[in-house]
Amino acid sequence: MKNIVIFGAPGSGKGTYSDEIVAKYGMGHISTGDVLRGEIKNGTELGKVAKGYIDNGQLIPDELMIDILAKTYDALPQGTGVIFDGFPRTIAQAEALKKMLAGRGHDMGMMIELVVDEETLMARLLNRAIEQGRADDNEETIKKRFEVYRNQTAPLSEWFENEGLRHTFTWKGSKDQMLAEIFEAIDAENN
Ligand code: AMP
């Protein structure tokens, strides 16, 4: 299986669709947000640093993030393909990922972009706050995360387009429809 970068705003469904893709294709899955929340839960030094950024809706500095990503990637079994969920979030991270993979004889494979209107995103994140109790799912922090997304992460979409990797899927109200379209694109890429 080719590697997949899943890309989109907070609440766009990166985690949800990653789980579905993993269930269908048996790929590895790296969610950098989950890695960081694990570090916070275990009270590690990295977790302490990460918490300050996450609680403020800010991004963890690139060098630190790139280092975490490479370590997580190398700890996974090789050969099954990996979904990168929540990474890269800046152009510097994208360049670093490309370089890191090339150094191992691998590549990014394809990018799946999830496009969802901001009103739907906010409603989903406030609902997730009730269901999962994530500390950064409150209205004030969500607004900051949207701003960070618009300024630092969204410009990456074009970077992927220039790399010839981008596949865009726009939310039209049906998860099943999104999934069917995503699976179709993954199958086409792997044929
Ligand atoms: P997520 O679960 O992907 O929404 O990530 C939650 C938070 O973790 C983000 O708001 C950032 O503070 C931090 N984070 C996750 N991935 C990254 C990344 N690739 N670069 C910088 N910060 C990240």
Side-chain angles (χ1 to χ4, degrees):
M1 285 293 297
K2 283 189 176 181
N3 288 328
I4 297 175
V5 170
I6 193 155
F7 183 86
S12 58
K14 296 188 294 295
T16 303
Y17 293 111
S18 292
D19 289 344
E20 299 278 1
I21 294 167
V22 167
K24 185 171 161 82
Y25 299 99
M27 305 174 70
H29 179 201
I30 300 177
S31 157
T32 44
D34 283 350
V35 171
L36 296 170
R37 282 184 288 276
E39 296 284 335
I40 293 173
K41 209 170 143 204
N42 292 331
T44 65
E45 281 309 310
L46 171 59
K48 281 176 203 151
V49 174
K51 187 171 164 37
Y53 292 100
I54 293 180
D55 287 354
N56 281 311
Q58 302 297 329
L59 296 183
I60 277 76
D62 284 336
E63 286 98 286
L64 188 55
M65 230 29 250
I66 289 161
D67 195 40
I68 296 167
L69 195 271
K71 285 199 182 103
T72 312
Y73 184 77
D74 288 335
L76 285 179
Q78 302 290 309
T80 58
V82 168
I83 306 184
F84 298 97
D85 162 7
F87 190 102
R89 266 174 152 99
T90 62
I91 307 255
Q93 289 182 11
E95 298 283 4
L97 178 61
K98 187 179 169 184
K99 202 167 139 199
M100 187 276 274
L101 290 170
R104 289 156 176 77
H106 305 160
D107 59 33
M108 290 198 197
M110 67 185 293
M111 177 269 220
I112 291 176
E113 176 178 47
L114 307 171
V115 177
V116 183
D117 62 279
E118 230 171 72
E119 203 181 320
T120 305
L121 293 173
M122 180 59 92
R124 283 184 189 174
L125 291 168
L126 291 175
N127 190 46
R128 187 168 77 183
I130 297 164
E131 284 176 357
Q132 297 177 15
R134 254 179 68 164
D136 57 346
D137 282 343
N138 60 79
E139 197 161 347
E140 195 193 339
T141 310
I142 292 168
K143 282 188 179 148
K144 276 198 210 142
R145 285 157 64 205
F146 284 168
E147 202 183 304
V148 166
Y149 180 77
R150 275 195 297 269
N151 294 335
Q152 295 178 254
T153 306
L156 250 185
S157 174
E158 208 158 298
W159 185 92
F160 281 105
E161 171 65 9
N162 291 335
E163 295 282 315
L165 298 173
R166 184 171 71 175
H167 299 256
T168 301
F169 303 89
T170 303
W171 174 251
K172 296 181 208 82
S174 160
K175 181 184 162 190
D176 286 348
Q177 189 192 343
M178 282 288 265
L179 255 189
E181 289 174 10
I182 289 171
F183 288 161
E184 200 181 323
I186 295 174
D187 291 338
E189 280 286 331
N190 284 283
N191 264 335

